[in-house]
């Protein structure tokens, strides 16, 4: 065990990969304290910046997979590490949680409900958007509520996550009432005072159009919204934020 953890501190990619393979075999049988130490050692790899060290991308991907394979047993260590790590680490942790699939859904929703800090809610929503399982529609009530959060970044991340839900959910499996509520709530956020929220709402509305979740009347409403954002017919009444106009242009492609 000591040799495997030491291997993870190497600067040699192959040495680290060998250490990860050995650790992956040992993790399921470790006691709680050794398991915690091993998981933290794996998380420590995420401090590597792949922009500076592109050769380490396979290491990061394998580390994400190993965390994902541990399932909810790794949750406490993952959430503890959020308090003492940086955004590079957090992106990889979210990816690992997403790779856990449906099994991560309820723990993430519970983490969201229990979070006392906005950032933890944001992280939980972001990770939830990484789950590629149609059953993620069970999160819709929480996502709808998050769209009304006082914190703009929470609203932004919730709007983004709804688009991710649309990507992985067959249209026929989303109840009509849920589709209608999703449309109405995203339409409201498309007028949010914060540009980031508006852009994510429009992006997700575009995905609803792309994946066949909109009725004709809704498509017409969305078309008018996009025209306003782009200032068509009234050059002085367009959305001043470039990112919003860019998303409006992309969303329009899916209206035909």
């Amino acid at each position: 065990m000591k040799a495997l953890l030491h291997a993870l501190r190497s600067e040699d990619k192959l040495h680290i990969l060998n250490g990860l393979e050995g650790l992956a075999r040992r993790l399921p049988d470790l006691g709680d304290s050794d398991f915690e130490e091993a998981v933290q050692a794996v998380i420590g790899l995420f401090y590597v910046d792949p922009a500076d060290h592109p050769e380490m991308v396979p290491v990061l991907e394998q580390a994400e997979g190993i965390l994902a394979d541990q399932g909810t047993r790794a949750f406490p260590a993952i959430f503890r590490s959020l308090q003492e790590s940086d955004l590079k680490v957090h992106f990889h942790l979210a990816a690992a949680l997403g790779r856990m699939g449906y099994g991560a859904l309820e723990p993430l929703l519970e983490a969201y409900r229990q979070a006392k800090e906005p950032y933890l809610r944001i992280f939980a929503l972001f990770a939830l958007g990484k789950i590629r399982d149609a059953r993620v529609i069970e999160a819709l009530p929480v996502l709808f509520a998050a769209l009304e959060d006082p914190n703009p970044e929470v609203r932004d991340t919730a709007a983004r996550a709804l688009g991710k839900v649309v990507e992985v959910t067959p249209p026929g499996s989303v109840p009509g009432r849920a589709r209608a509520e999703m449309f109405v709530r995203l339409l409201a956020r498309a007028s949010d005072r914060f540009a980031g929220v508006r852009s994510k709402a429009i992006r997700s509305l575009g995905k609803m159009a792309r994946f066949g979740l909109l009725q004709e009347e809704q498509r017409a409403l969305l078309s008018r919204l996009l025209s306003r954002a782009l200032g068509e017919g009234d050059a002085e009444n367009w959305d001043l934020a470039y990112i919003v106009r860019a998303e409006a242009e992309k969303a329009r492609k899916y209206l035909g």
Side-chain angles (χ1 to χ4, degrees):
M1 179 70 177
K2 190 182 227 180
L4 293 173
L5 295 180
H6 182 73
L8 268 56
R9 296 194 292 271
S10 171
E11 295 183 359
D12 181 85
K13 178 183 73 172
L14 293 179
H15 200 40
I16 298 172
L17 288 171
N18 288 334
L20 284 171
E21 289 176 5
L23 201 59
R25 292 191 293 269
R26 294 284 304 277
L27 272 167
D29 300 321
L30 293 179
D32 289 344
S33 60
D34 287 339
F35 180 84
E36 170 83 17
E37 183 179 6
V39 167
Q40 291 295 348
V42 173
I43 291 173
L45 293 170
F46 297 145
Y47 282 97
V48 172
D49 188 343
D52 294 333
H53 299 281
E55 76 281 3
M56 298 296 282
V57 169
V59 168
L60 299 174
E61 291 178 349
Q62 185 164 337
E64 286 178 8
I66 287 174
L67 278 189
D69 289 343
Q70 308 317 307
T72 55
R73 190 184 181 195
F75 259 71
I78 288 173
F79 275 86
R80 275 194 292 273
S81 72
L82 290 175
Q83 308 290 341
E84 302 175 348
S85 52
D86 62 21
L87 284 175
K88 293 193 303 296
V89 175
H90 298 178
F91 281 122
H92 291 294
L93 293 177
L97 289 166
R99 288 170 69 166
M100 290 181 191
Y102 180 69
L105 180 59
E106 186 51 43
L108 280 171
L109 293 177
E110 186 60 23
Y112 175 86
R113 297 184 192 105
Q114 298 297 326
K116 296 179 180 178
E117 302 173 16
Y119 183 76
L120 294 179
R121 298 201 299 278
I122 294 164
F123 176 82
L125 293 173
F126 182 75
L128 188 150
K130 297 287 187 181
I131 297 175
R132 311 298 290 179
D133 189 304
R135 291 172 291 179
V136 77
I137 62 169
E138 294 174 17
L140 287 182
V142 169
L143 292 176
F144 291 159
L147 285 176
E148 311 302 323
D149 195 277
N151 185 292
E153 192 63 30
V154 173
R155 299 197 302 275
D156 179 300
T157 312
R160 175 188 181 278
L162 280 170
K164 296 295 184 180
V165 171
V166 168
E167 289 178 5
V168 300
T169 310
S173 66
V174 183
R177 183 176 296 179
R179 290 200 304 271
E181 184 172 1
M182 188 186 302
F183 178 78
V184 169
R185 288 181 179 273
L186 285 172
L187 199 67
R189 291 281 66 84
S191 298
D192 196 280
R193 60 182 295 215
F194 289 92
V197 181
R198 297 198 301 276
S199 69
K200 300 301 192 308
I202 288 175
R203 180 190 301 177
S204 292
L205 286 166
K207 289 180 180 180
M208 291 188 74
R210 178 183 180 184
F211 292 99
L213 291 177
L214 297 183
Q215 298 178 346
E216 285 307 313
E217 181 181 352
Q218 293 168 328
R219 293 171 68 87
L221 285 171
L222 178 56
S223 179
R224 289 197 290 272
L225 167 71
L226 300 180
S227 293
R228 287 197 304 273
L230 294 168
E232 295 175 350
D234 184 354
E236 295 181 359
N237 189 31
W238 68 348
D239 198 298
L240 296 177
Y242 175 83
I243 56 172
V244 176
R245 300 196 305 274
E247 291 296 346
E249 288 278 12
K250 293 176 187 175
R252 171 169 279 173
K253 297 176 186 176
Y254 303 121
L255 287 176

